[in-house]
Each structure stands twice: as C-alpha cells, then as structure tokens.
C-alpha cells in the first residue's frame, strides 16, 4: 500500500480504492476536528477573552475616575494649605510686631487702673477739668493697652488654630498623595493586564485564521478526493460489467446449442428458443 503523507492530494491518482477510502476517513476526521476547534474559539475562547477585556476596561475606567477625583482633592488641599500658610505667616508677623509693643503691665492690673479711674470720674473725685482730663487720659491709655493684650491673645489663639488646621491638611495631603501613588500603580497593573489579554486575543484570532485556512485546505482536498473516488467507482463498475458480459454471452451460446439439438430431434421449441435460433442479433 502506498504511504499516505500529510498532503496526499497530489498523490491520489496513484492510490488504490482502499487507500482512497482510508484517506477520506483521515481527511473527514481532520475536517471535523478543525470545525470543532473553530466552534470552540467562537463560542468559548473569544467570548471569554472579550468578557475579561470588558471587565478590566471597566475596572480601569473606575480607577481613572477615582484618580481624577483624587487629583482634584490634592489640588484643593494644596490651595487650602497655601492659604493657611499665608495666614500663618501674617499672624506670626503681626505677633512679632506686637510682641515688642505689649505693655509691661498685666491685663488684670490695667483693668484695675481703668476701674479705679472710672470710679473717680463717676464719683466726681477730681479737683479741676485738667485733672479730669488726666484721669480720662489714663483710662484711655490703659484701655488701649488692654485691647492690645486682647488682640495679641486672639491672634495667638487664631495662630494655634491655623497651625492645627495646617497640620491636619498636611496629613490629609500626605494621605491623598499616597492614594494617588497607589492608584497610579494599580492603573499601570490594570493596563498591563489589558495588554496581556489583547495579546492573547490576537493569538486566538490568529489561531482561528489558521483553523479557517486549514478547513479550506482540507475541504479542497476532500473535494478532489471525492472526485477521484467517483472516477474510481465508475471504473470499478465498468470492470464488473465487463467481467459479467462474457458469462452472459457464454450462457446464450449454450442455450442456442440446446435449442438446435431439440430442433434436430423434432422436439417442440419455445418462443424464446425459436428467437435464439433465428434472431440475427446475438447480443
């Protein structure tokens, strides 16, 4: 039996019937396997990889949206921190100036001075207008010093609040920056996963293209093989007919000889026997 190679179509003319049948089984099996591979790619591999790509893209869009919000929060925190820094600087400058202008007296002693001198005015305990003006001047001077002490204390309290707020904003900004870094890393990993999935999809598409090419090649081989088998079948049928005809001719000759002997013996001949004896066409 001739050896069947991987591409048997060019050699089918030299194959016998049994080899052709064996080759057809082989090509039909290959065609079924290729068809199954294509179906598996279309119904399983491609839908699965497309779903994975969709899920990763959805996750990436979510990360990008979150990253944009994070950047807006960072921008707002930076602006807030800048404003706080300016206020802190202004407060410190004010306190620095006021520090050298604060009275040596305590607030309590100044309040006592105001109280005592106001009672003098209310009770009229002054001898002249000039003395009254002097008392009022003392009250004004002490009151201004008290207001300066209060202003200094208020600004200092505000400074403490600003510094506390600034510390909270700085910590919040640090957390936002860490979150931003984490988001960028996750976005990078997500993009890599998507690229890997697309590479896999390209391989699957290439595999499908190869299967389609193999399907077409096998179908063409099978078509040529079927044509060759049809020719071989016709040839085998003609050969069988040629083998049967000599036997048929021999049977007719024997029948004619028997009919001739019956005629010579005077026996009655059938219509068929008469036809065999007198028909000019002996088939």
């Amino acid at each position: 039996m001739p050896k069947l190679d991987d591409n048997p179509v060019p050699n089918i003319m030299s194959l016998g019937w049994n080899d052709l049948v064996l080759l057809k089984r082989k090509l039909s099996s290959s065609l079924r396997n290729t068809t199954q591979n294509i179906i598996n790619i279309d119904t399983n591999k491609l839908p699965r990889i497309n779903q994975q790509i969709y899920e990763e893209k959805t996750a990436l869009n979510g990360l990008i949206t979150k990253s944009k919000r994070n950047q807006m929060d960072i921008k707002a925190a930076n602006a807030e921190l800048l404003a706080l820094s300016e206020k802190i600087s202004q407060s410190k400058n004010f306190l620095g100036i006021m520090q050298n202008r604060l009275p040596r007296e305590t607030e309590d002693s100044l309040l006592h001075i105001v109280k005592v001198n106001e009672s003098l005015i209310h009770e009229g305990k002054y001898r002249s207008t000039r003395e009254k003006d002097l008392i009022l001047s003392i009250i004004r001077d002490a009151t201004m010093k008290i207001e300066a002490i209060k202003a200094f204390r208020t600004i200092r309290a505000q400074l403490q609040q600003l510094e506390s707020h600034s510390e909270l904003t700085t910590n919040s900004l640090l957390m936002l920056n860490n979150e931003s870094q984490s988001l960028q890393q996750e976005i990078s990993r997500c993009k890599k996963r998507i690229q890997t999935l697309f590479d896999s999809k390209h391989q699957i598409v290439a595999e499908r293209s190869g299967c389609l090419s193999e399907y077409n090649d096998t179908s063409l081989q099978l078509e040529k093989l079927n044509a060759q088998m049809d020719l071989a079948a016709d040839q085998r049928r003609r050969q069988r007919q040629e083998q049967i005809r000599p036997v048929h001719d021999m049977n007719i000759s024997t029948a004619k000889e028997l009919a001739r002997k019956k005629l010579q013996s005077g026996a009655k001949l059938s219509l068929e026997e008469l036809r065999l004896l007198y028909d000019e066409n002996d088939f």
Side-chain angles (χ1 to χ4, degrees):
M1 179 184 297
K3 182 179 180 181
L4 303 179
D5 54 22
D6 293 335
N7 187 19
V9 174
N11 302 322
I12 61 175
M13 299 297 293
S14 63
L15 299 179
W17 179 258
N18 291 336
D19 292 337
L20 291 174
V21 172
L22 180 61
L23 179 57
K24 182 173 182 177
R25 290 176 181 172
K26 178 181 178 182
L27 290 177
S28 297
S29 176
S30 176
L31 193 64
R32 285 193 299 271
N33 291 336
T34 303
T35 301
Q36 188 58 44
N37 287 338
I38 294 173
I39 293 174
N40 183 49
I41 289 173
D42 289 343
T43 59
N44 293 319
K45 290 185 177 181
L46 279 178
R48 183 167 60 249
I49 200 74
N50 284 334
Q51 179 63 25
Q52 291 174 339
I53 290 174
Y54 170 78
E55 291 175 356
E56 287 294 343
K57 281 188 172 181
T58 300
L60 177 61
N61 289 335
L63 289 171
I64 291 175
T65 299
K66 192 173 182 180
S67 177
K68 288 180 179 179
R69 288 199 300 265
N70 171 265
Q71 292 303 312
M72 292 176 62
D73 291 341
I74 289 176
K75 183 177 180 180
N78 279 323
E80 183 179 7
L81 190 61
L82 178 62
L84 288 171
S85 297
E86 291 177 352
K87 290 180 179 180
I88 289 172
S89 179
Q90 292 173 358
S91 297
K92 286 183 175 180
N93 289 337
F94 177 81
L95 292 176
I97 294 173
M98 289 295 297
Q99 184 73 40
N100 297 326
R101 297 181 181 179
L102 286 176
R104 291 187 296 274
E105 301 91 338
T106 65
E107 184 178 359
D108 289 339
S109 64
L110 291 170
L111 287 172
H112 179 70
I113 293 172
V114 170
K115 182 178 180 180
V116 169
N117 285 277
E118 283 181 343
S119 65
L120 292 176
I121 295 297
H122 291 157
E123 295 173 1
K125 294 181 179 180
Y126 49 84
R127 290 185 294 273
S128 63
T129 302
R130 181 177 179 183
E131 186 178 358
K132 178 182 178 180
D133 291 339
L134 179 60
I135 294 172
L136 291 174
S137 176
I138 293 172
I139 293 173
R140 287 194 297 270
D141 182 64
T143 301
M144 290 180 60
K145 290 180 179 180
I146 292 171
E147 292 299 322
I149 292 173
K150 289 182 177 180
F152 184 86
R153 185 169 60 246
T154 299
I155 296 301
R156 186 171 58 188
Q158 291 177 350
L159 176 61
Q160 291 175 347
Q161 292 178 350
L162 289 172
E163 289 177 336
S164 178
H165 192 179
S166 176
E167 183 179 359
L168 291 175
T169 304
T170 299
N171 292 335
S172 176
L173 185 59
L174 180 61
M175 292 176 62
L176 288 171
N177 285 327
N178 291 336
E179 182 183 2
S180 175
Q181 184 177 4
S182 177
L183 284 170
Q184 293 305 315
Q185 292 173 350
E186 184 57 32
I187 288 173
S188 178
R189 287 192 293 267
C190 192
K191 287 181 177 180
K192 288 181 180 179
R193 289 195 297 270
I194 291 175
Q195 185 59 53
T196 299
L197 289 171
F198 269 111
D199 291 341
S200 298
K201 181 177 180 179
H202 292 157
Q203 292 176 359
I204 293 173
V205 171
E207 179 186 358
R208 186 180 188 277
S209 178
C211 287
L212 288 174
S213 178
E214 182 179 351
Y215 179 90
N216 292 333
D217 291 342
T218 305
S219 296
L220 180 61
Q221 292 177 10
L222 197 55
E223 182 180 348
K224 292 180 179 179
L225 179 60
N226 286 332
Q228 180 62 22
M229 291 185 73
D230 289 343
L231 292 175
D234 290 340
Q235 184 178 1
R236 285 162 59 87
R237 187 163 47 252
R238 287 194 301 269
Q239 288 175 351
R240 285 197 300 270
Q241 291 174 350
E242 290 174 358
Q243 292 172 355
I244 294 173
R245 185 172 183 82
V247 175
H248 178 66
D249 293 344
M250 182 181 66
N251 291 339
I252 293 176
S253 298
T254 302
K256 289 174 66 175
E257 182 62 30
L258 292 174
R260 189 178 295 110
K261 289 181 180 181
K262 288 176 67 175
L263 179 62
Q264 291 174 354
S265 65
K268 185 179 179 179
L269 298 177
S270 66
L271 181 61
E272 183 63 26
E273 289 172 330
L274 289 172
R275 188 183 66 79
L276 288 172
L277 288 175
Y278 297 105
D279 193 350
E280 293 295 332
N281 296 323
D282 292 337
F283 300 94

Short mmCIF file of all heavy atoms in Angstrom, two decimals, residues 151-182:
data_model
loop_
_atom_site.label_atom_id
_atom_site.label_comp_id
_atom_site.label_asym_id
_atom_site.label_seq_id
_atom_site.Cartn_x
_atom_site.Cartn_y
_atom_site.Cartn_z
N ALA A 151 -6.01 91.65 71.67
CA ALA A 151 -5.75 91.38 70.25
C ALA A 151 -4.61 90.38 70.09
O ALA A 151 -4.69 89.46 69.28
CB ALA A 151 -5.43 92.69 69.53
N PHE A 152 -3.56 90.60 70.90
CA PHE A 152 -2.42 89.68 70.84
C PHE A 152 -2.86 88.27 71.20
O PHE A 152 -2.49 87.29 70.54
CB PHE A 152 -1.32 90.16 71.79
CG PHE A 152 -0.07 89.35 71.73
CD1 PHE A 152 0.92 89.63 70.79
CD2 PHE A 152 0.14 88.27 72.60
CE1 PHE A 152 2.08 88.88 70.73
CE2 PHE A 152 1.29 87.52 72.54
CZ PHE A 152 2.27 87.81 71.60
N ARG A 153 -3.69 88.17 72.26
CA ARG A 153 -4.16 86.86 72.71
C ARG A 153 -5.07 86.21 71.65
O ARG A 153 -4.96 85.01 71.38
CB ARG A 153 -4.89 87.01 74.03
CG ARG A 153 -5.30 85.66 74.61
CD ARG A 153 -5.79 85.78 76.05
NE ARG A 153 -6.94 86.65 76.15
CZ ARG A 153 -6.93 87.82 76.79
NH1 ARG A 153 -5.83 88.25 77.40
NH2 ARG A 153 -8.03 88.55 76.86
N THR A 154 -5.91 87.02 71.02
CA THR A 154 -6.82 86.50 69.99
C THR A 154 -6.05 85.99 68.78
O THR A 154 -6.32 84.89 68.26
CB THR A 154 -7.82 87.58 69.56
OG1 THR A 154 -8.60 87.99 70.69
CG2 THR A 154 -8.73 87.07 68.46
N ILE A 155 -5.09 86.80 68.33
CA ILE A 155 -4.29 86.39 67.15
C ILE A 155 -3.48 85.15 67.47
O ILE A 155 -3.33 84.24 66.62
CB ILE A 155 -3.36 87.55 66.71
CG1 ILE A 155 -4.20 88.75 66.25
CG2 ILE A 155 -2.47 87.09 65.58
CD1 ILE A 155 -5.13 88.46 65.10
N ARG A 156 -2.96 85.07 68.70
CA ARG A 156 -2.19 83.90 69.08
C ARG A 156 -3.07 82.65 69.09
O ARG A 156 -2.64 81.56 68.65
CB ARG A 156 -1.54 84.11 70.45
CG ARG A 156 -0.59 82.99 70.85
CD ARG A 156 0.18 83.38 72.10
NE ARG A 156 -0.75 83.68 73.19
CZ ARG A 156 -0.35 84.20 74.36
NH1 ARG A 156 0.93 84.50 74.56
NH2 ARG A 156 -1.23 84.45 75.31
N ALA A 157 -4.30 82.80 69.56
CA ALA A 157 -5.24 81.66 69.56
C ALA A 157 -5.59 81.27 68.13
O ALA A 157 -5.67 80.07 67.79
CB ALA A 157 -6.50 82.02 70.33
N GLN A 158 -5.80 82.30 67.29
CA GLN A 158 -6.08 82.01 65.89
C GLN A 158 -4.90 81.31 65.21
O GLN A 158 -5.09 80.41 64.38
CB GLN A 158 -6.42 83.31 65.15
CG GLN A 158 -7.75 83.92 65.56
CD GLN A 158 -8.01 85.24 64.86
OE1 GLN A 158 -7.13 85.79 64.19
NE2 GLN A 158 -9.23 85.76 65.02
N LEU A 159 -3.69 81.75 65.58
CA LEU A 159 -2.49 81.12 65.02
C LEU A 159 -2.44 79.65 65.39
O LEU A 159 -2.10 78.80 64.56
CB LEU A 159 -1.25 81.85 65.51
CG LEU A 159 0.09 81.24 65.07
CD1 LEU A 159 0.21 81.23 63.55
CD2 LEU A 159 1.27 81.99 65.70
N GLN A 160 -2.76 79.36 66.64
CA GLN A 160 -2.76 77.96 67.07
C GLN A 160 -3.78 77.14 66.27
O GLN A 160 -3.51 76.01 65.86
CB GLN A 160 -3.06 77.88 68.56
CG GLN A 160 -1.96 78.43 69.44
CD GLN A 160 -2.33 78.44 70.92
OE1 GLN A 160 -3.51 78.26 71.27
NE2 GLN A 160 -1.35 78.66 71.78
N GLN A 161 -4.96 77.75 66.04
CA GLN A 161 -5.98 77.06 65.24
C GLN A 161 -5.51 76.86 63.80
O GLN A 161 -5.71 75.80 63.20
CB GLN A 161 -7.29 77.85 65.26
CG GLN A 161 -7.97 77.89 66.63
CD GLN A 161 -9.24 78.72 66.60
OE1 GLN A 161 -9.52 79.42 65.63
NE2 GLN A 161 -10.02 78.64 67.68
N LEU A 162 -4.89 77.90 63.26
CA LEU A 162 -4.38 77.81 61.88
C LEU A 162 -3.31 76.73 61.77
O LEU A 162 -3.28 75.95 60.81
CB LEU A 162 -3.82 79.16 61.44
CG LEU A 162 -4.85 80.27 61.18
CD1 LEU A 162 -4.13 81.59 60.94
CD2 LEU A 162 -5.71 79.91 59.97
N GLU A 163 -2.42 76.71 62.75
CA GLU A 163 -1.35 75.71 62.71
C GLU A 163 -1.92 74.30 62.87
O GLU A 163 -1.45 73.35 62.23
CB GLU A 163 -0.33 76.00 63.80
CG GLU A 163 0.51 77.23 63.51
CD GLU A 163 1.47 77.55 64.64
OE1 GLU A 163 1.20 77.14 65.78
OE2 GLU A 163 2.50 78.21 64.38
N SER A 164 -2.95 74.16 63.72
CA SER A 164 -3.60 72.85 63.89
C SER A 164 -4.29 72.44 62.59
O SER A 164 -4.18 71.28 62.15
CB SER A 164 -4.60 72.92 65.04
OG SER A 164 -5.27 71.68 65.18
N HIS A 165 -4.99 73.40 61.98
CA HIS A 165 -5.66 73.13 60.70
C HIS A 165 -4.65 72.79 59.61
O HIS A 165 -4.86 71.88 58.80
CB HIS A 165 -6.49 74.35 60.30
CG HIS A 165 -7.43 74.09 59.18
ND1 HIS A 165 -8.28 75.06 58.69
CD2 HIS A 165 -7.66 72.98 58.42
CE1 HIS A 165 -8.99 74.55 57.70
NE2 HIS A 165 -8.61 73.29 57.52
N SER A 166 -3.55 73.50 59.61
CA SER A 166 -2.50 73.26 58.63
C SER A 166 -1.91 71.86 58.79
O SER A 166 -1.63 71.16 57.81
CB SER A 166 -1.38 74.30 58.77
OG SER A 166 -0.32 74.02 57.87
N GLU A 167 -1.74 71.44 60.04
CA GLU A 167 -1.21 70.10 60.29
C GLU A 167 -2.18 69.03 59.78
O GLU A 167 -1.76 68.04 59.15
CB GLU A 167 -0.96 69.91 61.79
CG GLU A 167 -0.34 68.56 62.13
CD GLU A 167 -0.06 68.41 63.62
OE1 GLU A 167 -0.35 69.37 64.37
OE2 GLU A 167 0.41 67.34 64.03
N LEU A 168 -3.48 69.23 60.04
CA LEU A 168 -4.48 68.28 59.55
C LEU A 168 -4.50 68.24 58.02
O LEU A 168 -4.58 67.17 57.40
CB LEU A 168 -5.87 68.67 60.08
CG LEU A 168 -6.11 68.49 61.58
CD1 LEU A 168 -7.48 69.03 61.98
CD2 LEU A 168 -5.99 67.02 61.97
N THR A 169 -4.42 69.41 57.40
CA THR A 169 -4.42 69.48 55.93
C THR A 169 -3.17 68.83 55.36
O THR A 169 -3.23 68.15 54.33
CB THR A 169 -4.50 70.94 55.47
OG1 THR A 169 -5.67 71.56 56.03
CG2 THR A 169 -4.58 71.04 53.96
N THR A 170 -2.04 69.03 56.04
CA THR A 170 -0.79 68.40 55.58
C THR A 170 -0.89 66.89 55.65
O THR A 170 -0.48 66.18 54.72
CB THR A 170 0.39 68.89 56.44
OG1 THR A 170 0.52 70.31 56.32
CG2 THR A 170 1.69 68.23 55.99
N ASN A 171 -1.44 66.39 56.76
CA ASN A 171 -1.62 64.94 56.89
C ASN A 171 -2.60 64.40 55.85
O ASN A 171 -2.39 63.33 55.27
CB ASN A 171 -2.12 64.60 58.30
CG ASN A 171 -1.07 64.87 59.36
OD1 ASN A 171 0.13 64.86 59.07
ND2 ASN A 171 -1.51 65.11 60.59
N SER A 172 -3.67 65.16 55.62
CA SER A 172 -4.65 64.77 54.60
C SER A 172 -4.01 64.75 53.22
O SER A 172 -4.24 63.83 52.42
CB SER A 172 -5.84 65.72 54.61
OG SER A 172 -6.75 65.40 53.58
N LEU A 173 -3.17 65.77 52.94
CA LEU A 173 -2.49 65.83 51.65
C LEU A 173 -1.52 64.66 51.49
O LEU A 173 -1.38 64.09 50.40
CB LEU A 173 -1.74 67.16 51.53
CG LEU A 173 -1.06 67.45 50.19
CD1 LEU A 173 -2.07 67.44 49.06
CD2 LEU A 173 -0.34 68.80 50.25
N LEU A 174 -0.86 64.29 52.58
CA LEU A 174 0.05 63.15 52.54
C LEU A 174 -0.71 61.87 52.20
O LEU A 174 -0.26 61.06 51.38
CB LEU A 174 0.76 63.00 53.89
CG LEU A 174 1.75 61.83 54.01
CD1 LEU A 174 2.87 61.97 52.99
CD2 LEU A 174 2.31 61.76 55.43
N MET A 175 -1.88 61.71 52.82
CA MET A 175 -2.72 60.53 52.53
C MET A 175 -3.20 60.55 51.07
O MET A 175 -3.22 59.51 50.40
CB MET A 175 -3.91 60.50 53.48
CG MET A 175 -3.54 60.24 54.93
SD MET A 175 -4.97 60.33 56.04
CE MET A 175 -5.97 58.99 55.40
N LEU A 176 -3.57 61.72 50.59
CA LEU A 176 -4.02 61.84 49.20
C LEU A 176 -2.90 61.50 48.23
O LEU A 176 -3.12 60.85 47.20
CB LEU A 176 -4.54 63.26 48.94
CG LEU A 176 -5.89 63.61 49.58
CD1 LEU A 176 -6.17 65.10 49.43
CD2 LEU A 176 -7.01 62.79 48.94
N ASN A 177 -1.70 61.96 48.54
CA ASN A 177 -0.55 61.65 47.68
C ASN A 177 -0.24 60.16 47.69
O ASN A 177 0.09 59.57 46.65
CB ASN A 177 0.68 62.45 48.13
CG ASN A 177 0.59 63.91 47.73
OD1 ASN A 177 0.02 64.25 46.69
ND2 ASN A 177 1.13 64.79 48.56
N ASN A 178 -0.34 59.54 48.84
CA ASN A 178 -0.14 58.09 48.92
C ASN A 178 -1.22 57.35 48.12
O ASN A 178 -0.93 56.37 47.42
CB ASN A 178 -0.17 57.62 50.38
CG ASN A 178 1.03 58.10 51.16
OD1 ASN A 178 2.09 58.38 50.59
ND2 ASN A 178 0.91 58.19 52.48
N GLU A 179 -2.46 57.84 48.25
CA GLU A 179 -3.55 57.23 47.49
C GLU A 179 -3.32 57.40 45.99
O GLU A 179 -3.57 56.48 45.20
CB GLU A 179 -4.89 57.87 47.88
CG GLU A 179 -6.08 57.26 47.16
CD GLU A 179 -7.38 57.97 47.50
OE1 GLU A 179 -7.34 58.96 48.26
OE2 GLU A 179 -8.44 57.53 47.01
N SER A 180 -2.84 58.57 45.60
CA SER A 180 -2.56 58.83 44.19
C SER A 180 -1.49 57.87 43.66
O SER A 180 -1.63 57.31 42.57
CB SER A 180 -2.09 60.28 44.01
OG SER A 180 -1.70 60.51 42.67
N GLN A 181 -0.45 57.67 44.44
CA GLN A 181 0.61 56.76 44.03
C GLN A 181 0.07 55.33 43.90
O GLN A 181 0.38 54.62 42.94
CB GLN A 181 1.75 56.80 45.05
CG GLN A 181 2.95 55.95 44.65
CD GLN A 181 4.08 56.08 45.66
OE1 GLN A 181 3.95 56.75 46.67
NE2 GLN A 181 5.20 55.44 45.39
N SER A 182 -0.75 54.93 44.87
CA SER A 182 -1.34 53.58 44.84
C SER A 182 -2.25 53.43 43.62
O SER A 182 -2.23 52.38 42.94
CB SER A 182 -2.13 53.33 46.12
OG SER A 182 -2.76 52.07 46.08
#
